């Protein structure tokens, strides 16, 4: 019962077999006797498989197994495996070795692409796309797969939101600049052509006249073009384009896998976008929209290697009185207004709400220099102070600059201590802020 396995996409896939009514396919190179043969490049013979812990049973009753590596130009491509209901003689094993040598030589004569089926490559791509939760990496994987499936050198995935002229797009290959330069009118025309279709492609005509959808591509010598709609739940969301300077011959065998890839791309992009949005929301304060406690500490970790960092901790004085006299709706509005005033002074990703009435600011680079940070602190007071004063409140600030070789969590603790002193200096009645708010969940 012979079988041939070749490495395809990091797994051993069964290319042919005889006598096996159950095929174990897509095995990792660390599994079974076949995997051991491929991994080591050495033949394996077992005259009693019951004593072999690596043996994978395909059918019952097998007694012996002989596996020989398939090599081409010194590189192992796979393995020729023989299972038997009786022990294999040396004469039989010699015949298997001879067959393996002939097959290895023949594999070397074949063009690599001729031994691969597009749908198999699409299946590998599907597995990769399903594991990606980032839209940018999803698009990169789709472009790479589209070029492999089509044999075309350049590709672009453009979402409807990126159709406007001059908008940054996702493209790859020698003609990527021409793809990026396609006008919104050209993309809209292609989208309209594809409305009742699953694909539109040129037919291998060498002059390039068949690239009717884009003068931009024709002018740079494009001779082939495939256009496919990107959809999600029945809604058009973009286009997948493939082009080449050669008149690539295309037919259903090449285009149908591309159509499946386009459908898969639309679904995976929607999933990735949803996951990104959920992650973004998890890092944002629901009331003010700025970074929350978790994203604040995440930002501190991201800046851990920088020397020039300053941390400011801000607390609203008498905020409880605002809530008690004006109600929680007024308190929420004060917090939103405080955020708006802070963003008049600072970049969005520098401001965080880390507690009920407590905010934090992270400065780095030249903005973290002592004189620059003090200037920022003054600007914050000038911006936020008057608004809070109308509600009988004020703002206290504690600031600290990172010392040499200091962990940023220690810088934060010193800023927290400065805030405590600033509040205590105003009035003993104000009391101290809840200092554990800034530090909760932090690790050194």
């Amino acid at each position: 019962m012979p079988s041939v396995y070749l490495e395809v996409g990091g797994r051993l896939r069964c290319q042919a077999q005889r006598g096996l009514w159950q095929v174990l396919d897509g095995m990792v190179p660390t599994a079974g006797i076949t995997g051991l043969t491929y991994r080591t490049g050495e033949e394996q013979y077992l005259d009693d498989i019951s004593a072999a812990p690596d043996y994978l049973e395909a059918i019952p009753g097998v007694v012996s197994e002989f596996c020989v590596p398939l090599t081409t130009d010194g590189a192992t491509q796979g393995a020729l495996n023989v299972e038997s209901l009786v022990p294999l003689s040396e004469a039989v094993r010699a015949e298997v070795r001879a067959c393996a040598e002939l097959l290895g030589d023949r594999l070397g004569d074949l063009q690599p692409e001729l031994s691969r089926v597009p749908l198999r490559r699409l299946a590998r791509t599907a597995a990769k796309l399903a594991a990606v939760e980032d839209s940018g990496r999803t698009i990169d994987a789709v472009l790479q797969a589209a070029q492999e499936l089509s044999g075309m050198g350049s590709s672009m995935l453009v979402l409807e939101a990126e159709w406007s002229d001059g908008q940054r797009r996702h493209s790859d290959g020698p003609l990527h600049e021409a793809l990026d330069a396609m006008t919104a009118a050209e993309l809209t025309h292609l989208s309209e052509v594809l409305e009742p279709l699953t694909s539109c492609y040129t037919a291998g005509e060498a002059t390039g006249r068949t690239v009717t959808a884009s003068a931009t591509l024709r002018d740079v010598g494009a001779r082939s073009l495939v256009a496919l709609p990107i959809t999600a739940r029945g809604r058009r969301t973009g286009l997948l384009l493939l082009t080449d300077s050669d008149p690539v011959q295309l037919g259903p065998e090449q285009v149908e896998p591309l159509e499946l890839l386009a459908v898969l791309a639309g679904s995976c992009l929607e999933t990735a976008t949803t996951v990104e949005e959920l992650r973004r929301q998890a890092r944002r304060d629901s009331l003010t929209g700025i970074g929350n406690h978790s994203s604040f500490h995440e930002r501190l970790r991201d800046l851990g290697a920088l020397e020039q960092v300053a941390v400011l901790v801000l607390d609203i004085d008498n905020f409880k009185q605002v809530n008690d006299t004006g109600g929680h709706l007024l308190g929420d509005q004060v917090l939103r207004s405080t955020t708006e005033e802070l963003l008049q002074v600072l970049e969005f990703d520098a401001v965080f709400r880390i507690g009920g009435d407590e905010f934090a600011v992270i400065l780095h680079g030249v903005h973290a220099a002592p004189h620059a940070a003090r200037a920022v602190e003054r600007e914050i007071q000038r911006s936020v102070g008057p608004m809070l004063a109308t509600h009988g409140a004020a703002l206290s600030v504690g600031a600290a600059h990172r010392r040499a070789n200091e962990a940023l969590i220690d810088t934060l603790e010193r800023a927290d201590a400065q805030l405590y002193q600033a509040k205590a200096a105003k009035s003993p009645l104000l009391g101290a802020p809840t200092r554990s708010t800034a530090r909760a969940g932090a690790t050194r």
Side-chain angles (χ1 to χ4, degrees):
M1 294 170 286
S3 56
V4 173
Y5 282 81
L6 296 179
E7 185 277 328
V8 180
R11 289 180 177 265
L12 295 171
R13 306 305 303 257
C14 184
Q15 309 297 316
Q17 62 84 22
R18 176 173 293 179
L20 296 174
W21 48 265
Q22 178 175 255
V23 175
L24 305 179
D25 204 359
M27 68 179 68
V28 294
T30 56
I33 305 303
T34 305
L36 178 62
T37 302
Y38 171 77
R39 190 169 69 252
T40 63
E42 299 176 354
E43 66 177 51
Q44 306 290 327
Y45 175 56
L46 303 173
D47 58 5
D48 180 9
I49 57 90
S50 64
D54 291 333
Y55 175 73
L56 299 177
E57 182 181 82
I59 62 173
V62 171
V63 171
S64 62
E65 181 174 7
F66 183 50
C67 195
V68 182
L70 295 171
T71 59
T72 300
D73 297 327
T76 302
Q77 307 294 325
L80 171 58
N81 189 64
V82 175
E83 294 179 286
S84 176
L85 303 181
V86 296
L88 297 171
S89 67
E90 176 55 38
V92 172
R93 299 203 298 273
E95 188 72 12
V96 173
R97 292 189 195 98
C99 289
E101 184 176 355
L102 289 170
L103 182 53
D105 292 342
R106 180 62 181 139
L107 289 173
D109 295 336
L110 295 175
Q111 292 294 324
E113 290 302 313
L114 295 180
S115 64
R116 298 191 178 190
V117 179
L119 286 177
R120 288 183 179 176
R121 282 180 282 156
L122 179 59
R124 298 200 305 273
T125 298
K128 291 179 181 178
L129 289 178
V132 177
E133 297 179 348
D134 173 83
S135 58
R137 288 192 296 148
T138 297
I139 291 175
D140 290 342
V142 170
L143 294 182
Q144 180 181 355
Q147 291 175 223
E148 290 178 355
L149 289 168
S150 66
M152 304 180 80
S154 300
S155 57
M156 176 173 73
L157 196 158
V158 56
L159 302 175
E160 285 191 348
E162 302 169 338
W163 282 17
S164 58
D165 296 342
Q167 180 78 26
R168 181 184 177 277
R169 297 168 183 171
H170 306 273
S171 61
D172 185 54
L175 298 179
H176 76 94
E177 291 183 356
L179 287 166
D180 288 341
M182 288 182 67
T183 66
E186 289 176 322
L187 295 171
T188 300
H189 172 66
L190 268 174
S191 181
E192 292 172 349
V193 169
L194 287 166
E195 188 62 37
L197 308 173
T198 55
S199 63
C200 176
Y201 54 93
T202 54
E205 200 271 334
T207 65
R209 288 180 297 178
T210 55
V211 186
T212 59
S214 173
T216 304
L217 292 176
R218 282 202 312 275
D219 290 346
V220 297
R223 295 294 177 263
S224 304
L225 176 67
V226 181
L228 307 115
I230 298 293
T231 59
R233 290 187 293 181
R235 182 177 60 88
R236 180 73 53 84
T237 58
L239 293 172
L240 175 61
L241 304 179
L242 296 150
T243 189
D244 202 281
S245 54
D246 291 331
V248 179
Q249 291 286 347
L250 296 166
E253 295 81 2
Q254 294 78 31
V255 175
E256 288 180 8
L258 290 171
E259 293 173 353
L260 292 174
L261 175 64
V263 172
L264 180 64
S267 176
C268 288
L269 280 172
E270 183 181 50
T271 300
T273 301
T274 301
V275 170
E276 288 175 343
E277 177 61 21
L278 291 173
R279 287 176 174 170
R280 187 193 68 79
Q281 292 177 6
R283 293 193 295 268
R284 296 295 173 198
D285 175 55
S286 59
L287 177 66
T288 64
I290 59 176
N292 59 15
H293 179 274
S294 296
S295 62
F296 169 66
H297 285 282
E298 182 179 307
R299 184 64 172 156
L300 284 179
R301 289 192 294 270
D302 290 343
L303 297 176
L306 295 183
E307 295 181 4
Q308 282 277 72
V309 180
V311 179
L312 284 69
V313 184
L314 294 63
D315 190 84
I316 300 177
D317 303 327
N318 292 326
F319 183 72
K320 184 178 184 302
Q321 181 178 333
V322 174
N323 272 332
D324 290 344
T325 57
H328 289 286
L329 290 178
L330 177 61
D332 289 349
Q333 183 55 51
V334 169
L335 292 172
R336 284 192 288 265
S337 297
T338 299
T339 301
E340 292 169 2
E341 296 298 333
L342 288 172
L343 293 178
Q344 293 294 318
V345 179
L346 298 151
E347 297 292 332
F348 181 83
D349 61 358
V351 185
F352 306 84
R353 182 185 174 207
I354 58 176
D357 59 349
E358 193 169 7
F359 295 79
V361 173
I362 301 178
L363 305 174
H364 60 91
V366 294
H367 303 291
H371 66 282
R374 284 193 293 271
V376 169
E377 184 177 344
R378 289 193 296 270
E379 284 297 312
I380 289 173
Q381 289 286 10
R382 277 196 290 265
S383 179
V384 180
M387 182 275 297
L388 291 178
T390 63
H391 300 286
L395 189 72
S396 293
V397 180
H401 303 271
R402 186 178 199 175
R403 295 168 177 168
N405 301 318
E406 182 182 46
L408 282 178
I409 187 60
D410 295 329
T411 309
L412 170 62
E413 289 184 353
R414 290 194 294 106
D416 207 28
Q418 290 294 321
L419 174 65
Y420 177 85
Q421 293 178 13
K423 289 185 74 72
K426 289 181 179 181
S427 169
L429 297 179
L430 290 178
T434 307
R435 297 176 58 204
S436 61
T437 300
R439 296 194 304 271
T443 56
R444 291 181 182 272

